[in-house]
């Protein structure tokens, strides 16, 4: 999952980035609103964590800019205890907010809720046929048996499971799995797919020739 973090406090930004990466997110971290608006125009994210108090443009402005053409889930961070700010944020299209200072576990839980709501899901457990992914616990089971996956294998499986009927192209999967500053081997996605098929079931992930991959939700 590719996440844009917009936070100007270096210590806090670094802490959030590390925690989110540990959770399996690909995190792009920017410390100002101008760069954030440019990134949102040209890049593809799954979710945004946006601080409202930024050094250049107000976070609200970034939110309004985004909302002109995108329904991307946005979680706002605010240090201000002003109720009006939070209301303005929610009215401006934020999906939820977290008040600073916050516990990182709370931020992670709120993010899961925001993502779930965006996907129209009620449960934190994703089920596709005999595949079950518990996002909060990072547990994958296949036909009731726990499966141990490497970080990127897990992230890839999660992306496929979140869109079970959709073909995910290789470039799209690459962008969801790797950050701007990471080198990606040209066959990286194929290698992860190969491992997933071996660890789960070879028919679970279908190759759509020339396009990409999708889970085969008809599998029993
Ligand atoms: Ca700030």
């Amino acid at each position: 999952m590719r996440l844009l973090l917009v936070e100007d406090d270096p210590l806090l930004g670094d802490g959030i980035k590390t925690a989110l990466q540990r959770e399996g997110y690909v995190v792009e971290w920017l410390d100002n609103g101008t760069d954030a608006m440019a990134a949102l125009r040209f890049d593809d994210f799954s979710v945004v964590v946006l601080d409202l108090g930024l050094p250049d443009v107000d976070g609200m402005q970034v939110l309004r800019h985004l909302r002109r053409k995108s329904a991307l889930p946005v979680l706002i961070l605010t240090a201000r205890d002003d109720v009006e700010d939070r209301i303005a944020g929610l009215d401006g299209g934020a999906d939820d907010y977290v008040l600073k200072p916050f516990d990182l576990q709370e931020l992670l839980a709120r993010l899961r809720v925001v993502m779930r709501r965006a996907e129209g899901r009620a449960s934190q457990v994703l089920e596709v046929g005999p595949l079950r992914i518990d996002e909060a616990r990072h547990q994958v089971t296949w036909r009731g048996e726990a499966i141990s996956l490497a970080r990127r294998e897990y992230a890839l499986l999660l992306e496929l499971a979140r869109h079970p009927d959709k073909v995910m192209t290789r470039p799209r999967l690459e962008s969801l799995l790797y950050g701007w500053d990471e080198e990606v081997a040209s066959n990286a996605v194929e290698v992860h797919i190969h491992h997933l098929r071996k660890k789960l079931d070879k028919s679970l992930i279908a190759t759509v020739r020339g396009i990409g991959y999708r889970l085969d939700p008809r599998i029993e």
Side-chain angles (χ1 to χ4, degrees):
M1 223 168 324
R2 188 180 187 82
L3 180 147
L4 178 64
L5 169 64
V6 191
E7 169 59 67
D8 60 309
D9 181 314
L11 269 180
L12 184 59
D14 192 51
I16 297 174
K17 181 176 178 178
T18 307
L20 290 171
Q21 283 178 327
R22 219 176 286 142
E23 195 74 3
Y25 289 91
V26 169
V27 182
E28 308 298 1
W29 171 24
L30 297 172
D31 63 3
N32 67 83
T34 311
D35 287 351
M37 288 191 281
L40 286 165
R41 218 168 319 151
F42 297 112
D43 207 339
D44 193 12
F45 297 95
S46 317
V47 59
V48 184
V49 174
L50 174 66
D51 180 26
L52 285 190
L54 295 171
D56 51 349
V57 295
D58 192 281
M60 279 302 299
Q61 207 176 317
V62 177
L63 182 60
R64 278 194 295 271
H65 173 86
L66 173 68
R67 279 295 174 255
R68 264 184 241 140
K69 54 187 171 201
S70 165
L72 198 64
V74 176
L75 183 69
I76 52 177
L77 305 178
T78 174
R80 308 170 217 183
D81 41 25
D82 190 347
V83 168
E84 280 173 21
D85 264 359
R86 273 176 268 159
I87 294 173
L90 293 171
D91 282 343
D95 295 86
D96 202 356
Y97 61 84
V98 178
L99 289 183
K100 292 181 183 177
F102 50 83
D103 186 278
L104 284 171
Q105 290 307 319
E106 184 193 353
L107 176 70
L108 294 173
R110 296 271 187 136
L111 266 176
R112 286 192 295 266
V113 173
V114 161
M115 294 303 295
R116 251 183 1 235
R117 220 185 288 145
E119 291 162 21
R121 278 195 283 140
S123 155
Q124 69 173 13
V125 177
L126 265 163
E127 283 184 280
V128 183
L131 173 69
R132 194 170 180 282
I133 305 176
D134 184 330
E135 277 192 90
R137 296 190 175 81
H138 278 224
Q139 279 171 353
V140 175
T141 54
W142 175 252
R143 298 194 198 287
E145 208 178 297
I147 306 287
S148 155
L149 298 178
R151 185 166 67 93
R152 289 228 165 81
E153 291 166 9
Y154 174 81
L156 175 51
L157 186 63
L158 191 59
E159 293 299 344
L160 292 171
R162 288 171 65 225
H163 315 277
D165 288 315
K166 221 167 114 185
V167 178
M168 302 289 281
T169 65
R170 198 178 72 183
R172 170 102 174 110
L173 287 169
E174 267 173 15
S175 83
L176 291 168
L177 297 179
Y178 294 91
W180 288 327
D181 49 0
E182 289 177 293
E183 290 259 343
V184 192
S186 64
N187 64 344
V189 169
E190 280 96 328
V191 171
H192 298 316
I193 295 274
H194 173 75
H195 289 149
L196 283 171
R197 283 176 173 153
K198 253 170 78 177
K199 290 182 177 180
L200 298 151
D201 185 297
K202 67 177 188 323
S203 60
L204 174 68
I205 301 168
T207 301
V208 182
R209 217 163 278 285
I211 303 176
Y213 304 94
R214 65 172 173 77
L215 279 195
D216 190 345
R218 290 161 306 171
I219 193 163
E220 301 264 313

